[in-house]
Amino acid sequence: MKIAFVGKGGSGKTTLSALFIRHLAAAGCPVIAVDADINQHLGPALGLTDDQAAALPSLGAHLPQIKEYLRGSNPLIRSAEEMIKTTPPGRGSRLLRIVEENPVYAACARPIALDEGSVRLLATGAFTEDDLGVACYHSKVGAVELLLNHLVDGREEYVVTDMTAGSDSFASGLFTRFDLTFLVVEPTRKGVSVYRQYKEYARDFGVALRVVGNKVQGPDDLAFLRREVGEDLLTTFGHSDWVRRLEQGAEPALRTLEPANRAVLEQLRNQADEAYGARDPRRYTRQAVHFHLRNAESWGNAKLGIDLATQVDEGFVLGADELDAAHV
């Protein structure tokens, strides 16, 4: 399952995504965690020191290697240099799986041992001084979009992505690459305005969106969210001394998380499991092609001097084996 956490800056989305990752790992599920936030805080939220987080390999720095591996023997893609962030897979492309070893994971993923279980972490890399004035952050998260376009995942296998804060989460086709998106919302007017903005963006693409209230201090906060968000409100995460200790640098055991908040994490997992049953491989592939053609027309064709529409394998559906199994 491909899961995203989005929200405005300071909403607590990174904290909740890290808690969800820990919860899945504690249940023995294979998990790949992806830090696609410009601020790169997921590693520390999973227990890394600042130095360890800074030493994580950057997906963006390994983009040529990633492209060469994913290209495989696809005859529609003549070279890795002709791949862009939206290039869809086709027959002959190499596909990624969550439970496997491959050169991409060897170069870019790092294992993180948690108090209950372990995960593999991928990071886009921080925005550096060399990027100022000459690059946009979307050039970095493009590596995540390319990976998700080529990833085949199974039930009870998870990719959990901490997206960049604010509406930038919708600045590329990456937001359509998930089975379910959790929007973390505070009980404030600004928090609700972000919810309305996100919902508007998601509607046209059929993005499954569930709202998780955070920093809910009492019945008035809850009533506010219920009034403003309605049936999109899935659950709320309450005050947590456990989270405060974590943010202060302690490493409390997950089993000591407040029972009510641990139950929230299980609600999120149940929603993810339901989303897996509703996934549509044809729509997923169709949307990947849609954004590829849009990028080709807006900048890709001019930059590379070729017609990138020729990279589309019309007969290929990512996850087609799921469709075949459904009709057995």
Side-chain angles (χ1 to χ4, degrees):
M1 278 156 277
K2 305 179 184 77
I3 308 297
F5 279 79
V6 300
K8 76 175 185 64
S11 64
K13 69 172 181 61
T14 298
T15 298
L16 285 181
S17 62
L19 280 170
F20 185 57
I21 289 165
R22 289 172 181 264
H23 182 70
L24 295 173
C29 300
V31 183
I32 291 178
V34 182
D35 193 345
D37 191 342
I38 190 171
N39 293 310
Q40 298 286 277
H41 290 323
L42 185 58
L46 291 171
L48 296 185
T49 66
D50 290 342
D51 288 343
Q52 288 172 329
L56 289 170
S58 163
L59 285 170
H62 290 83
L63 194 54
Q65 178 184 354
I66 292 170
K67 289 180 177 180
E68 186 60 48
Y69 180 77
L70 296 179
R71 183 173 72 93
S73 60
N74 186 335
L76 302 180
I77 304 172
R78 296 179 301 183
S79 69
E81 290 74 20
E82 293 184 356
M83 294 180 73
I84 62 174
K85 64 180 183 178
T86 54
T87 297
R91 282 164 286 198
S93 297
R94 288 195 181 98
L95 303 179
L96 302 173
R97 288 168 176 80
I98 293 176
V99 185
E100 70 170 4
E101 300 300 328
N102 58 56
V104 173
Y105 295 163
C108 303
R110 292 296 178 264
I112 297 181
L114 304 172
D115 65 298
E116 299 181 39
S118 64
V119 302
R120 288 196 279 196
L121 175 63
L122 295 167
T124 57
F127 207 63
T128 67
E129 284 189 18
D130 292 339
D131 298 317
L132 295 178
V134 297
C136 72
Y137 190 65
H138 307 127
S139 64
K140 294 181 179 293
V141 299
V144 179
E145 188 169 357
L146 193 62
L147 290 177
L148 293 182
N149 276 349
H150 289 75
L151 188 138
V152 179
D153 54 302
R155 187 178 294 278
E156 298 189 350
E157 299 175 349
Y158 298 85
V159 175
V160 181
T161 302
D162 181 29
M163 298 281 278
T164 195
S167 58
D168 276 354
S169 293
F170 292 88
S172 73
L174 180 58
F175 76 96
T176 67
R177 303 296 81 201
F178 302 99
D179 298 306
L180 185 61
T181 296
F182 290 120
L183 171 58
V184 182
V185 173
E186 298 171 89
T188 63
R189 292 175 61 187
K190 187 172 183 180
V192 169
S193 70
V194 169
Y195 153 72
R196 291 177 179 145
Q197 184 182 40
Y198 279 28
K199 185 172 182 178
E200 187 67 26
Y201 290 149
R203 180 182 292 116
D204 291 341
F205 293 93
V207 173
L209 191 67
R210 300 290 183 271
V211 174
V212 181
N214 193 31
K215 303 180 182 179
V216 176
Q217 299 297 321
D220 289 344
D221 286 349
L222 180 58
F224 174 82
L225 285 176
R226 284 176 172 166
R227 183 173 67 249
E228 299 295 333
V229 175
E231 63 182 14
D232 287 337
L233 180 63
L234 170 65
T235 187
T236 60
F237 193 89
H239 173 76
S240 176
D241 291 330
W242 190 97
V243 169
R244 178 58 59 89
R245 294 198 305 274
L246 182 72
E247 292 175 342
Q248 291 173 344
E251 273 294 315
L254 184 64
R255 63 181 177 276
T256 64
L257 179 67
E258 298 85 1
N261 287 329
R262 189 78 182 255
V264 168
L265 301 179
E266 187 61 20
Q267 280 184 275
L268 303 190
R269 182 182 175 186
N270 291 338
Q271 284 290 306
D273 291 343
E274 289 183 18
Y276 183 87
R279 71 196 310 180
D280 181 352
R282 288 195 180 94
R283 183 175 67 117
Y284 190 85
T285 302
R286 187 168 61 248
Q287 287 180 337
V289 169
H290 168 78
F291 280 102
H292 180 62
L293 296 179
R294 284 182 58 174
N295 277 269
E297 292 172 3
S298 65
W299 63 270
N301 290 346
K303 180 178 180 179
L304 296 177
I306 61 172
D307 181 8
L308 291 170
T310 61
Q311 294 180 342
V312 177
D313 185 342
E314 298 289 352
F316 180 83
V317 176
L318 183 69
D321 54 329
E322 296 178 23
L323 292 173
D324 294 339
H327 291 92
V328 172

